[in-house]
Amino acid sequence: MKQNFKFSSRKHLILFLIASSCFFNISPVSAQDAYKALKANVILTGTSTLHNWEMTAADFTCNSIFQLENNKITEVKSLTLTIAVKTLKSGKNAMDKNAYAALKAGEFKQITYVINTSTVVGNKIICTGSLTIAGVTKPIEVESIYTANADHTITCKTSKTFKMSEFNVDPPSFMFGTVTTGDEITMTFDLTFKKS
């Protein structure tokens, strides 16, 4: 027996159409928000003819805009990291002084990284951007591993190795040139972002 479905009123028909539209056009919850790094561990490491060395950044700023869907990053819309050169500390005054001279800190007071594009694969963020050291800017690709935390913060861990000579920086020397540092340097970042 054939049955015809009829709506008892125009109001019921409208409600049915709205519900159907919601059902067939379900989209993931997405948001685009500005974040600021409130916690950070920013370290520069390298080698020398005497021993390995390490400098920690005491002052920095890092601001970003993340695109998220269902608490997962789909794109990094922007990111700017700035480190004040003279806040890099090794715990040894002589090394700090020579490092500042090599980085031309009197003229170029900041190290900056600004991204241009980003790709997200799983929990890995691959960014291309511009790194500026001692007044010289070079394109550089950086990979980060991120975690979206339960408290709505985002943690990013990054490590990038490059040569100081790429930025026209002469590796510092110590003890009247008897101790020289290697050309290769590694920058490591452990940043925790919160909505700003």
Side-chain angles (χ1 to χ4, degrees), residues 55-92:
M55 300 184 82
T56 301
D59 185 26
F60 76 98
T61 58
C62 188
N63 297 294
S64 183
I65 296 176
F66 294 118
Q67 176 78 40
L68 289 91
E69 289 186 0
N70 296 328
N71 207 35
K72 294 182 179 180
I73 295 176
T74 57
E75 185 180 359
V76 181
K77 294 287 187 179
S78 68
L79 184 143
T80 301
L81 172 71
T82 302
I83 300 170
V85 174
K86 286 192 175 181
T87 66
L88 291 168
K89 301 293 181 182
S90 67
K92 299 177 180 179

Side-chain angles (χ1 to χ4, degrees), residues 73-147:
I73 295 176
T74 57
E75 185 180 359
V76 181
K77 294 287 187 179
S78 68
L79 184 143
T80 301
L81 172 71
T82 302
I83 300 170
V85 174
K86 286 192 175 181
T87 66
L88 291 168
K89 301 293 181 182
S90 67
K92 299 177 180 179
N93 290 335
M95 180 176 176
D96 293 348
K97 183 178 178 180
N98 288 349
Y100 300 155
L103 292 169
K104 309 179 181 89
E107 184 179 1
F108 305 106
K109 301 182 185 303
Q110 296 176 330
I111 295 171
T112 62
Y113 180 65
V114 181
I115 75 160
N116 300 319
T117 62
S118 71
T119 303
V120 181
V121 181
N123 67 337
K124 181 187 290 185
I125 304 171
I126 304 168
C127 295
T128 59
S130 300
L131 178 63
T132 301
I133 299 177
V136 176
T137 301
K138 295 285 185 180
I140 194 167
E141 183 177 278
V142 174
E143 292 188 6
S144 298
I145 301 299
Y146 86 88
T147 303

